[in-house]
Amino acid sequence: MKGKVIKSTGSWYQVLTEDKQLIECRLRGKFRNEGLKTTNPIAVGDWVVFQVEEGEEGTAIITDIEPRENYVIRKSPHNKHSAHMIAANVDQALLLVTLKQPRTSLGFIDRFLVSCEAFRIPAVLVFNKTDLLSEDEREYQEAIAYLYTSIGYTCLAISATEQTGLDPLKALIKGKTSLISGHSGAGKSTLLNALDSRIQQKTSEISSFANKGVHTTTFAEMFLLPDDTFLIDTPGIKELALVDIEEEELAHYFPEMRALLGECRFHNCTHVHEPGCEVLAQVQAGTIPETRYESYLSMLSGEDNRR
Ligand SMILES: Nc1nc2c(ncn2[C@@H]2O[C@H](COP(=O)(O)OP(=O)(O)OP(=O)(O)O)[C@@H](O)[C@H]2O)c(=O)[nH]1
Ligand SMILES: [Mg+2]
Ligand SMILES: [Zn+2]
């Protein structure tokens, strides 16, 4: 029998069977993780083969994991050698962006987008907490959304608490499996609760001292909505360490640069100082946004993950 892992608590996995029954499963034996060094062998979203245990009511043993279409891993910023698999087989990743409480920086957005490009997962920016914005802040948000839309990313603006802007979001997630990411306190769990009243994820006010979230959600969990719509709530991202991306590959993960890469004079151009660099020319001409290019440079040098 086959099913989809919707929750993992370390030793137990909650699996949704093909006929929409829930069954608690355990893992027996060692699983090779497709050469990936991860701290967990199975993630939310994995399709697994299981066998019901004899004599045990309603529990089963996972015997196999189906090949993954894609996966999202988060590298520990402190330990280069360990990575945690957040989810597998997702159709899209939504980043909840908040201009304040907490502030999501452009550098953070760009790191997230580059990671999604590397994982080959379409990314969507969802600006949340729009109810908190002044007129000026709203204009600033619209300018950012315009910038990312022009690069090709879908941008939406919502308020999870006021439940505004949710209809386009509902249309976007319908029939798909979507991962919801963002800083702690950005409102991921609040949004889940707003999308379906049967979902009751715990939420917490952000700390008034640090203006940051308090990491209320501690493990990824998948929720089933009507119409085969799956949403994955995840713990807030503190820092985003990039998965292994070679220097020469990095520009490929910026769609607005990717289109130009054949046009630089040198085929191994790093787009930093080389003569005849088309990327630099477009930055100077203003067609590549300066903030994006700054993010490129900061990722290239491997400096701060935290802006
Ligand atoms: N004003 C306002 N507050 C919001 C909005 N969405 C969420 N919040 C508040 O932000 C706080 C944090 O929300 P959570 O849903 O717990 O945030 P989270 O992203 O799940 O955080 P972690 O689980 O820690 O990663 C709560 O007090 C919410 O009520 C919004 O649209 N507007
Ligand atoms: Mg949460
Ligand atoms: Zn170049």
Side-chain angles (χ1 to χ4, degrees):
M1 291 219 278
K2 263 180 21 171
K4 184 145 75 169
V5 176
I6 64 163
K7 186 174 173 178
S8 150
T9 58
S11 47
W12 284 96
Y13 300 91
Q14 213 170 66
V15 172
L16 187 67
T17 65
E18 282 171 313
D19 49 359
K20 302 275 189 294
Q21 303 291 313
L22 281 180
I23 185 159
E24 301 285 328
C25 295
R26 282 183 299 157
L27 191 60
R28 185 174 291 161
K30 273 203 169 26
F31 278 88
R32 277 197 299 143
N33 220 347
E34 295 169 15
L36 294 166
K37 282 198 184 123
T38 57
T39 50
N40 51 335
I42 296 184
V44 165
D46 261 325
W47 280 98
V48 294
V49 181
F50 62 87
Q51 249 168 20
V52 176
E53 280 185 288
E54 269 177 50
E56 301 279 335
E57 201 58 23
T59 64
I61 302 284
I62 294 172
T63 57
D64 213 351
I65 307 169
E66 302 278 294
R68 299 180 173 107
E69 256 171 64
N70 57 34
Y71 53 80
V72 178
I73 53 179
R74 202 177 284 171
K75 233 170 132 175
S76 157
H78 309 294
N79 179 356
K80 273 190 182 166
H81 303 289
S82 84
H84 185 74
M85 191 174 305
I86 307 282
N89 305 320
V90 305
D91 294 316
Q92 57 189 357
L94 312 186
L95 180 67
L96 279 204
V97 174
T98 40
L99 289 198
K100 54 186 186 184
Q101 298 183 25
R103 187 178 85 93
T104 309
S105 71
L106 296 182
F108 184 83
I109 295 174
D110 290 335
R111 280 185 165 268
F112 180 85
L113 294 175
V114 163
S115 301
C116 289
E117 296 283 340
F119 293 131
R120 295 191 168 71
I121 296 171
V124 175
L125 299 182
V126 180
F127 293 86
N128 188 29
K129 306 204 184 186
T130 52
D131 57 292
L132 296 179
L133 303 183
S134 67
E135 196 61 37
D136 284 357
E137 288 166 333
R138 195 174 293 264
E139 274 174 27
Y140 175 63
Q141 177 186 289
E142 275 162 18
I144 301 174
Y146 179 79
L147 186 155
Y148 286 102
T149 306
S150 68
I151 298 169
Y153 294 107
T154 300
C155 295
L156 301 175
I158 64 161
S159 164
T161 47
E162 307 299 307
Q163 309 217 350
T164 55
L166 295 186
D167 284 345
L169 180 61
K170 285 180 182 165
L172 191 86
I173 60 175
K174 190 174 172 186
K176 294 188 174 149
T177 299
S178 306
L179 183 83
I180 305 191
S181 332
H183 283 309
S184 177
K188 300 176 291 296
S189 300
T190 306
L191 173 62
L192 260 296
N193 295 345
L195 287 172
D196 191 327
S197 56
R198 288 166 302 176
I199 302 177
Q200 293 185 349
Q201 281 288 78
K202 195 167 177 293
T203 65
S204 304
E205 282 189 24
I206 65 165
S207 123
S208 53
F209 170 69
N211 251 323
K212 286 185 176 158
V214 293
H215 291 277
T216 308
T217 307
T218 49
F219 53 88
E221 181 172 357
M222 176 141 67
F223 295 90
L224 173 58
L225 275 59
D227 304 314
D228 266 333
T229 301
F230 293 92
L231 293 178
I232 304 172
D233 194 5
T234 62
I237 314 173
K238 237 184 277 181
E239 302 165 37
L240 207 56
L242 285 181
V243 284
D244 297 315
I245 294 176
E246 299 295 327
E247 271 191 13
E248 312 84 73
E249 283 176 63
L250 183 59
H252 288 267
Y253 300 131
F254 285 76
E256 71 275 45
M257 296 185 195
R258 184 158 63 215
L260 305 170
L261 294 182
E263 296 175 34
C264 295
R265 186 178 304 162
F266 302 110
H267 78 277
N268 58 350
C269 187
T270 62
H271 325 298
V272 178
H273 50 71
E274 292 86 345
C277 172
E278 188 57 22
V279 170
L280 279 171
Q282 300 286 337
V283 174
Q284 264 140 33
T287 35
I288 291 181
E290 214 156 293
T291 59
R292 292 278 288 169
Y293 185 63
E294 281 166 18
S295 292
Y296 171 77
L297 290 180
S298 129
M299 285 179 228
L300 196 67
S301 67
E303 51 180 53
D304 69 337
N305 314 343
R306 248 165 292 222
R307 282 191 307 141

